[in-house]
Amino acid sequence: MKAATLLILASLATIAAADFIEIGWKTCKADGTVSMVKADGCNLQIKDGKKVCFFKKGSRPEIQIAFKPSKDAEKLKTSVRAKVGGSAMVDFPQTNTDACTYVIAAKDQLFQQSIAITDNHPAGDVIQVNWQLTRPDSGKEVCIIFLAQIED
């Protein structure tokens, strides 16, 4: 009986584990160093020669960013914006903008957060997503850009 219970629990843990994949990304101006960006809930495809994460409306994909901050900070805040329609920048509201607490300069950090893809998000076009982590002094520790497309 115990072995069967352990097997069931192990199976459930495997199902619950996220499937993070590396996505196409680049950095924008920031003080910290980014070494990796992954996403869960991303259907990665090549579109016009570029890697694009396809996210479904109603989903909550998660993003992981591995980075080394440039200086110590008590906390970091997160913000997400997207370039829609070629030029307009639109905020992607988040329920929690607290990113990290007590980051130490030059020490590897892993930020992970989900974002809700709602019916209000535009579907069909490739958008440029800008994700930032900022210090209380408004300095940017992380700034990444990746391409996404929202589908119904």
Side-chain angles (χ1 to χ4, degrees):
M1 182 68 146
K2 285 184 182 180
T5 303
L6 289 175
L7 182 58
I8 291 169
L9 290 175
S11 297
L12 290 174
T14 302
I15 292 168
D19 291 324
F20 285 93
I21 58 169
E22 289 200 46
I23 63 172
W25 58 279
K26 62 182 181 178
T27 58
C28 33
K29 189 174 178 172
D31 298 330
T33 304
V34 177
S35 59
M36 181 269 308
V37 179
K38 291 183 177 183
D40 172 50
C42 163
N43 176 9
L44 191 63
Q45 297 179 26
I46 304 296
K47 189 170 184 179
D48 298 325
K50 298 178 181 177
K51 292 181 180 179
V52 179
C53 261
F54 283 75
F55 299 120
K56 289 200 176 291
K57 283 191 178 188
S59 68
R60 289 194 66 86
E62 290 190 58
I63 302 295
Q64 284 183 341
I65 303 170
F67 70 102
K68 283 187 181 181
S70 64
K71 57 172 78 169
D72 295 351
E74 286 187 24
K75 63 183 174 179
L76 297 177
K77 293 283 187 184
T78 182
S79 64
V80 182
R81 302 180 79 201
K83 188 181 282 189
V84 179
S87 62
M89 291 297 283
V90 176
D91 287 324
F92 273 51
Q94 297 170 290
T95 55
N96 183 8
T97 60
D98 292 329
C100 307
T101 56
Y102 303 107
V103 294
I104 299 170
K107 184 175 180 192
D108 290 328
Q109 305 285 318
L110 182 64
F111 165 75
Q112 181 173 321
Q113 189 173 44
S114 66
I115 188 161
I117 306 298
T118 68
D119 289 336
N120 296 333
H121 292 110
D125 294 327
V126 174
I127 58 174
Q128 174 186 302
V129 179
N130 294 41
W131 203 303
Q132 298 180 12
L133 302 179
T134 55
R135 297 184 306 268
D137 67 4
S138 298
K140 284 188 233 171
E141 280 299 337
V142 169
C143 183
I144 62 158
I145 297 170
F146 64 93
L147 299 177
Q149 185 168 329
I150 297 169
E151 51 191 2
D152 290 317

